[in-house]
Amino acid sequence: MTLTTLPVETPPAARTRRARPLAGLSPSWLFAVPALLVYAAVVLYPSVVGVVYAFTDWSGVGEDMSFVGLSNFQAILGDEQVMGSLGNTLLLTMAILVVQNGVGLLLALGVHARLKSRALLRVVFFAPVVVSPVMVAFLWKYVYTPDSSTGLNGLLGLEVDWLGDPSVALWSIAGMVVWQYAGYSMVIFLAGLEGVPKELHEAAMIDGAGTLQRFRYVTWPLLAPALTINLMLSTIGGLKLFDQVFAATNGGPGYATETLSTVLYKQAFVFGKFGYSTAIALVLALFVAAVSLIQISYLRSREVAQ
Amino acid sequence: MTDLRHAKMSRAQFFRMMGGLAAAAAAAGCSTKPQTGATTGASGATALDLKFVGVADQKTPMDELVAAYRQARAGVTITTSYAPTDQVQTSLRTQLGAGNAPDLHVVYPGSGSAMSMTQIAGAGLLADLSAQAWTDSIPTGFKPAFQVDGKTLMYSAGSSVIGAIYNKKVFQEAGIDAPPTTWTEFLDVCEKLKKAGKVPIALGAQTPWVTQLITYALVPSTVYAKDPTFDDKQAAGQASFAQSGWRDAMEMYLELHKRGYFNDKPNGTTFEQQTSMVATGKAAMAIQVSAVLPSFRDAATSPDDLSMFPVPGADDAASVWIPAGVVVGLGANAKGRNAEEAKAFIDFLGRQENINRWAKAIAAIPLTQDASSAVDPAVESFLPFTKDRAVPFMDQRWPNAEVQPTHFAVVQDLLAGKSKIDEALKKMDEAYAK
């Protein structure tokens, strides 16, 4: 028996080196590199450089600036406007978080059912998401007109000063945000609902479970990942809320609808305190990051448990 | 078919691809580089494009005068853009901070806002216009609005007044023959209008800057008529909002509210709604700055029905003073590469005929006047006051940009019944001291 050895083709050393794949990076990653570079140049780099201003008294124009250490951060603690706006921001975030996701879930369950017009309804409910928040705010200024014969008042037969009454204005803004983004939550919940296996529902039905019980014991636990994403996105969106407030009330009446974002904007561009504004922005960014991390770690552990 | 997610790319392939992208980006960057500065046109003449960023109120006069400048100075074009005050403030301050501000831009007189002459001049960003002939004729009372340390740093075509824009037809229908000249008469007029089923005063307090106008209309009579040096004393720490006629003005403001002379829910009403109410005759008057008179006329079916009268802030007609402030102007970017050409345009604006044209377009009183100067008939009733019973708008002497927004906010709180006058004035004093 002749043992024949197949010739092994040994490529030249240089060729081997050139053909070696870039460790750990597949083309799908590499294609993202240009976008990441632009993101780094336009967002990351200015953000990191901007942090320096938080320790200065720069007015935003000119070259006069001196380092003031941590005094901007100390001033935040004693600033009534910042503290007041923090309260407003948290209230708004809570309201948006609960109502937007509640409405989004109901809409998702509705359009997930076998309705004839469900495709059209999905588009209708999602449509406000694609409109600019500023446009939505201007539109809702008309809806919220204090005139009792038109707008929401005319529709509901009320005489509420939706944006002019300090005790109502914050909730009016929450209302317009929910109207705009409930469709966004709906889409994420809908994706979650599509992933619930039919077999589980069938098994539960055979076991005699009713609609509510199937939702409670089958659908709801399996929606946990969608809920995690929705809660996190609405929390981040709520804490950063600016456009709608700025366009609808500019923080008023008085200071009733000031959020952290509108306060830091005013400090920079109205009061000419760019350094102080950057300090508030930095605190806000860290606060949002901390809340999001805590939230995601809790919700993820809940997903695992289920 | 290759699965792209799992296909591998060699390091050399990757770097070649990135090199290509970088080259393409560089080429695209070069091709879209904005053309600035002097260029040579097809005719061989030097072509120059100046950039101007202004507020919406400046559009009408600037469009007219930019067209005139094009005729007067061939080869120079001026590209203009306008936006509401908030947006302009944001974008311009960013550009000023980044060192790429336009050649010419809006500047607010005095010192009380983030885009005011004093605040921007403090950073050395406004070109000195003192050598221009028109600056010699700036009335003494207006100099603080134009100048810092004797240097003129902004241009403005004149002054506007704050008073009541009223619908003459509505007044006649309510049996009111002449505008009031004392505070008591003013209250009587409001009462008659209310009884005639009209809203006496339209107030669009949801638009922040509108909130300040009633106090501004009253304070000249309650503060400055009694003490013309109030601003100096306040700057020296010898006077305050809380311990002055500002308290009286706030009380008068709220008295109008308590008597039901404003439209329902003023905090939920915008400037546009206020304009429409007066223009359509639903409301009889609005306390406003004369610069917005053209907007009211545009909204009215018969613009001639609209006129203005000074708001009488005192019970003795001789003690009534009025607010007359320098209107929003423009300055030349001292750090811009076309600073000299930008200054030349301002010099052109400073010619008497151009001051007249600008003033006419916004119903202002021209900064300086000659035989051809015309004053809008609606503001003629203010002219007797302008010599010795007028004071600049209050914010033009405030030391920082925080007092004015604080004033807006406290007025909204007062109208909402959420605050007391003591608290409001205390907040304003605290903002003044910052």
Side-chain angles (χ1 to χ4, degrees), chain B residues 345-368:
Chain B
F345 175 67
I346 292 182
D347 196 33
F348 171 78
L349 296 180
R351 293 183 196 168
Q352 186 60 52
E353 70 268 25
N354 295 332
I355 287 178
N356 290 343
R357 286 163 94 173
W358 187 305
K360 190 181 174 194
I362 56 164
I365 301 166
L367 183 70
T368 51

Side-chain angles (χ1 to χ4, degrees), chain B residues 117-118 121-122 128 130 143-153:
Chain B
M117 183 268 304
T118 309
D128 185 2
S130 307
K143 281 185 178 169
F146 286 82
Q147 298 179 342
V148 174
D149 299 331
K151 285 183 186 169
T152 301
L153 299 163

Side-chain angles (χ1 to χ4, degrees), chain A residues 18 21-22 26-27 30 34 59-62 141 145-146 159 161 163-164 166 248 250 252-255 265 269-273, chain B residues 4-5 7-11 14 21 86 89-90 93-94 96-97 114 123 206 208 265 267-268 401-402 405 409 412-413 416 418:
Chain A
R18 288 181 65 185
L22 198 60
S26 64
L30 296 177
S59 71
V61 294
K141 274 175 98 165
T145 179
E159 287 193 2
D161 192 358
L163 295 172
N250 197 21
Y255 303 99
Y265 164 83
F269 295 106
V270 180
F271 302 163
K273 292 184 172 177
Chain B
L4 280 177
R5 283 171 304 174
K8 297 292 179 190
M9 182 183 273
S10 75
R11 189 172 288 165
F14 171 65
L21 281 170
D86 286 341
Q89 194 149 293
T90 308
R93 279 188 67 87
T94 307
L96 286 165
Q206 197 194 75
K265 306 182 185 82
N267 271 346
E402 284 200 46
Q412 285 181 333
D413 272 346
K418 213 188 157 206

Side-chain angles (χ1 to χ4, degrees), chain B residues 356-390:
Chain B
N356 290 343
R357 286 163 94 173
W358 187 305
K360 190 181 174 194
I362 56 164
I365 301 166
L367 183 70
T368 51
Q369 296 169 27
D370 65 359
S372 63
S373 301
V375 174
D376 191 298
V379 297
E380 271 174 4
S381 59
F382 291 81
L383 294 180
F385 293 85
T386 52
K387 281 184 186 167
D388 54 0
R389 285 191 286 157

